[in-house]
Amino acid sequence: MPGEPSSFGAPGAPGMPGAGPGFGQQRNDDKTNGMAIAAFVTGLLGCLGVLGLILGLIARRQIKEKGGKGGGLAMAGIVLSCLWLVIGIGAGIYSATSGGSDDDGKGGAKPKISITKPKDVAAKKMKVGDCINDSSGASTSTASEGPVEVESVKVVPCTGPHDGEVLATFKLGGLFPSEREMSQKASAGCKRLVAPRMRREPAARSLATSYYYPTAESWTRGDRAVTCVAVHATEGKKLTRPIHR
């Protein structure tokens, strides 16, 4: 009605309590966000995977919505976590590419093939597994021809032609025996040690056993080694492969 005071929208009427801007929200601009701190610490540790990244993203969203400090800490946590992830992925790729190439598909590594380059070695330093060429002819000499003094032999690959393969070595004891006794002891010892290998070798019938033993001069210098060598039974004929183990 004209002249009747209105209570609706009257000028100067006080607003409703709490109806101002930001209703239900409280900004904490002076407080450091806890999630940001956790993100930074987790990023430094690096052992918790993507947790630092997740915490950092949550912290930045909270700071944007509610205010507070710690935006730099949150970002640092995100960056550190990403760096740890990159390092972990790189290490995994390197491990897969470097270790997988030698795998035979059955959980084992392929054996590495080593090629023996020809080299001269002292006769008393021959070792089991060496394949040799002996230019003196001692490895294929017969008992009737008598012993041949050998100072050195040439170690060569077992996959190529060679005079013999070292199958066993042993040492003599006691006093220096006569030439005949030395030969008998060397022959008996080699036959005993070589027999198990020969039984496993399909071509054993085509093989013979030769041996090297100390001379009187080398005996005085402490040489006691006897070297047992498998050779071809046919004089002058070479072996062409390793003896079966």
Side-chain angles (χ1 to χ4, degrees), residues 196-215:
R197 282 284 293 275
M198 289 298 192
R199 284 195 292 267
R200 295 193 294 270
E201 171 55 47
R205 291 186 178 182
S206 65
L207 300 176
T209 303
S210 182
Y211 46 84
Y212 294 77
Y213 55 80
T215 63

Side-chain angles (χ1 to χ4, degrees), residues 140 163 198 201-209 229-241 243:
T140 57
D163 292 331
M198 289 298 192
E201 171 55 47
R205 291 186 178 182
S206 65
L207 300 176
T209 303
V229 180
V231 298
H232 204 285
T234 303
E235 186 174 350
K237 194 169 183 179
K238 291 181 177 289
L239 305 179
T240 56
R241 64 171 177 80
I243 304 299

Side-chain angles (χ1 to χ4, degrees), residues 29-206:
D29 292 333
D30 294 331
K31 186 177 180 181
T32 302
N33 186 278
M35 286 285 187
I37 298 173
F40 179 68
V41 174
T42 306
L44 284 176
L45 295 176
C47 58
L48 300 175
V50 297
L51 183 58
L53 174 62
I54 296 172
L55 293 175
L57 293 174
I58 294 174
R60 287 180 61 83
R61 188 180 65 182
Q62 289 180 348
I63 292 171
K64 183 178 180 181
E65 293 178 352
K66 300 181 180 179
K69 298 178 180 179
L73 293 174
M75 180 56 70
I78 292 172
V79 172
L80 289 171
S81 295
C82 290
L83 287 175
W84 282 112
L85 285 173
V86 171
I87 293 172
I89 293 171
I93 294 174
Y94 175 79
S95 176
T97 55
S98 62
S101 58
D102 291 335
D103 196 277
D104 62 0
K106 297 181 181 180
K110 293 181 180 179
K112 295 182 179 179
I113 300 174
S114 58
I115 299 175
T116 305
K117 295 182 179 179
K119 61 179 180 179
D120 291 321
V121 299
K124 65 180 180 179
K125 291 186 177 180
M126 289 185 288
K127 60 183 183 295
V128 175
D130 284 347
C131 290
I132 62 166
N133 279 332
D134 184 354
S135 59
S136 69
S139 61
T140 57
S141 63
T142 62
S144 61
E145 295 173 345
V148 178
E149 188 171 338
V150 180
E151 292 186 358
S152 65
V153 296
K154 188 178 291 292
V155 177
V156 297
C158 292
T159 52
H162 52 280
D163 292 331
E165 179 180 344
V166 179
L167 298 187
T169 62
F170 67 97
K171 290 186 177 182
L172 297 170
L175 300 175
F176 181 73
S178 66
E179 189 74 43
R180 183 177 179 181
E181 290 174 334
M182 179 85 78
S183 179
Q184 288 175 344
K185 289 183 178 182
S187 177
C190 283
K191 286 181 180 179
R192 176 177 55 83
L193 294 173
V194 168
R197 282 284 293 275
M198 289 298 192
R199 284 195 292 267
R200 295 193 294 270
E201 171 55 47
R205 291 186 178 182
S206 65

